[in-house]
Amino acid sequence: MACIVWACQSQEGPAVRVLSDSDSSLSPEIRALSKRIADDPRNAELYYLRGNTFYYEEEFEQAQIDLEASLMLNPDQALVHFRLAETCLQRDSALSPQAEFHFAEALRLKPDYQEAKMEQARLWVARQDYDKALANLTVLKTLDDFRDRAYLLESLVYREQGDTARSENVLDALLRLNAQSYDATMQKALILLNRRDEMCLKWLDKAIALDELSDEALYHKGLWLQWQGKYADAMTLYENANKINPGHLYARYNRAVIENLFENYVQCEEHCNQLLDMSPDFALALALRGYSREKLGYKKAAQLDYQAALNIDPTLELAREGLNQVN
């Protein structure tokens, strides 16, 4: 975003920036705050308000500049440190050390800042600092406003550590406290699905009952039924998932797979075309389209698809076998 910037210097501290309130590329809210800052350029609260507005407009670079200006003028603002930490993470994962610093500052200034503690735990999980994250989550699990999120994140920690049994136990504990938790229900269903336990169907049905517009639950129920050879029922579920979320790539891919199984190669190719419009690097869709085109007699087109799939994923056996077949 183009911004007209000028700096203001005073004897009270270093320069801070002011944006022109006549810049038409800025939103009305930003322009209004910029006018107030021009009139009072040493007001830390105004920089926070403008940085916060930039944050919600997803202008994270601009938000970071203003939030840092606010802290330069008044470093003892827990809320500003928290928002700056979130902004750093939104901008670039490489800024996670800065985010970690600002979460810590927010909690130093306000030790009971539980939202900061929650987001700090998420950051530590992302950085695989699991012991630190679990220490935060132990506290947050006792608080009604954070309980569900804390249990779910704890379950994720154990799953990432390869302890699926413990992860499932955490989900079961949450479900005893809140049987209506869609997220816990869905995660329980996925654990059962991954180990091919037929009880996953019960949990998937419960997830759909809790959220009938869950494309995730519909897709995974379809996947289970596809594994059982119930292709018509699976296709219906995939179609419903795509009605809710046209961008659900694997629901559409599995529709193509089922069409291919029944030698409906034109329909399979159409699904693959739609997939590749959305995700040009979807190697499986390229290979499957190549197979459909091969069966339809378009060997040159099939060859190009197989080769494109291998360029993306050299280990894709379907594409390698197909390429050998048409060469």
Side-chain angles (χ1 to χ4, degrees):
M1 178 175 63
C3 298
I4 301 172
V5 181
W6 55 279
C8 176
Q9 180 77 40
S10 81
Q11 296 180 348
E12 299 172 11
V16 292
R17 72 167 190 166
V18 179
L19 303 182
S20 170
D21 59 89
S22 63
D23 188 340
S24 61
S25 71
L26 302 171
S27 70
E29 293 79 9
I30 294 295
R31 292 202 303 272
L33 285 164
S34 295
K35 186 176 188 309
R36 292 176 66 188
I37 289 171
D39 294 336
D40 189 7
R42 312 305 302 175
N43 189 324
E45 174 69 10
L46 293 177
Y47 286 95
Y48 162 70
L49 291 173
R50 191 171 66 182
N52 196 51
T53 303
F54 273 130
Y55 178 88
Y56 283 107
E57 292 180 359
E58 299 185 359
E59 295 284 353
F60 300 117
E61 181 178 1
Q62 301 295 329
Q64 183 175 351
I65 293 170
D66 272 345
L67 295 169
E68 288 175 346
S70 181
L71 289 173
M72 179 184 64
L73 293 165
N74 179 6
D76 296 330
Q77 303 177 85
L79 179 59
V80 183
H81 280 289
F82 174 72
R83 180 61 78 217
L84 182 52
E86 290 191 306
T87 300
C88 289
L89 293 177
Q90 289 285 354
R91 273 200 70 190
D92 190 339
S93 60
L95 296 176
S96 63
Q98 291 96 310
E100 186 172 17
F101 169 79
H102 289 292
F103 282 136
E105 282 297 285
L107 287 163
R108 180 184 66 80
L109 293 164
K110 187 179 178 183
D112 63 348
Y113 199 161
Q114 308 303 347
E115 191 66 44
K117 195 170 291 184
M118 184 77 231
E119 295 309 311
Q120 184 185 54
R122 290 188 193 282
L123 174 58
W124 280 334
V125 170
R127 297 183 63 179
Q128 299 183 335
D129 289 335
Y130 296 125
D131 290 341
K132 290 181 181 178
L134 289 170
N136 273 18
L137 296 174
T138 297
V139 175
L140 293 165
K141 284 164 57 181
T142 67
L143 305 174
D144 288 345
D145 290 344
F146 296 89
R147 180 195 63 195
D148 287 18
R149 284 186 284 164
Y151 271 97
L152 288 165
L153 192 56
E154 182 183 30
S155 176
L156 175 63
V157 167
Y158 294 129
R159 191 158 65 251
E160 288 193 357
Q161 292 178 320
D163 193 344
T164 305
R166 195 165 185 182
S167 175
E168 188 175 3
N169 287 339
V170 172
L171 292 173
D172 289 340
L174 173 54
L175 287 163
R176 286 192 292 271
L177 294 168
N178 179 10
Q180 302 305 305
S181 170
Y182 164 80
D183 290 319
T185 299
M186 193 65 222
Q187 291 305 311
K188 172 82 173 181
L190 292 178
I191 287 174
L192 295 168
L193 181 75
N194 287 337
R195 65 173 182 240
R196 302 299 198 269
D197 188 325
E198 65 182 12
M199 285 298 292
C200 72
L201 198 57
K202 167 192 167 184
W203 288 92
L204 288 166
D205 283 337
K206 180 182 175 184
I208 293 168
L210 290 169
D211 182 1
E212 63 184 13
L213 297 179
S214 170
D215 59 301
E216 178 186 31
L218 291 167
Y219 165 74
H220 284 100
K221 183 177 179 180
L223 185 61
W224 173 261
L225 294 176
Q226 183 178 344
W227 290 347
Q228 308 310 308
K230 298 179 180 179
Y231 298 115
D233 291 337
M235 182 67 90
T236 297
L237 288 162
Y238 293 145
E239 289 170 352
N240 289 338
N242 279 144
K243 286 177 184 175
I244 294 166
N245 177 12
H248 196 303
L249 299 181
Y250 280 96
R252 192 169 299 279
Y253 175 75
N254 282 355
R255 291 167 70 184
V257 168
I258 292 172
E259 295 288 10
N260 178 73
L261 285 173
F262 288 92
E263 301 182 0
N264 298 323
Y265 300 122
V266 172
Q267 293 89 333
C268 177
E269 183 184 17
E270 288 174 355
H271 284 305
C272 290
N273 287 337
Q274 292 170 341
L275 269 171
L276 292 164
D277 285 342
M278 292 183 281
S279 181
D281 293 334
F282 199 138
L284 284 169
L286 280 164
L288 186 58
R289 186 174 71 176
Y291 183 82
S292 295
R293 288 177 167 177
E294 178 187 345
K295 291 299 182 180
L296 290 167
Y298 305 123
K299 290 195 174 183
K300 181 61 177 178
Q303 182 183 40
L304 292 172
D305 276 345
Y306 289 142
Q307 187 59 62
L310 286 170
N311 290 342
I312 296 166
D313 182 0
T315 68
L316 191 55
E317 195 60 30
L318 174 62
R320 186 167 303 283
E321 291 177 358
L323 192 58
N324 291 335
Q325 189 71 25
V326 297
N327 279 340

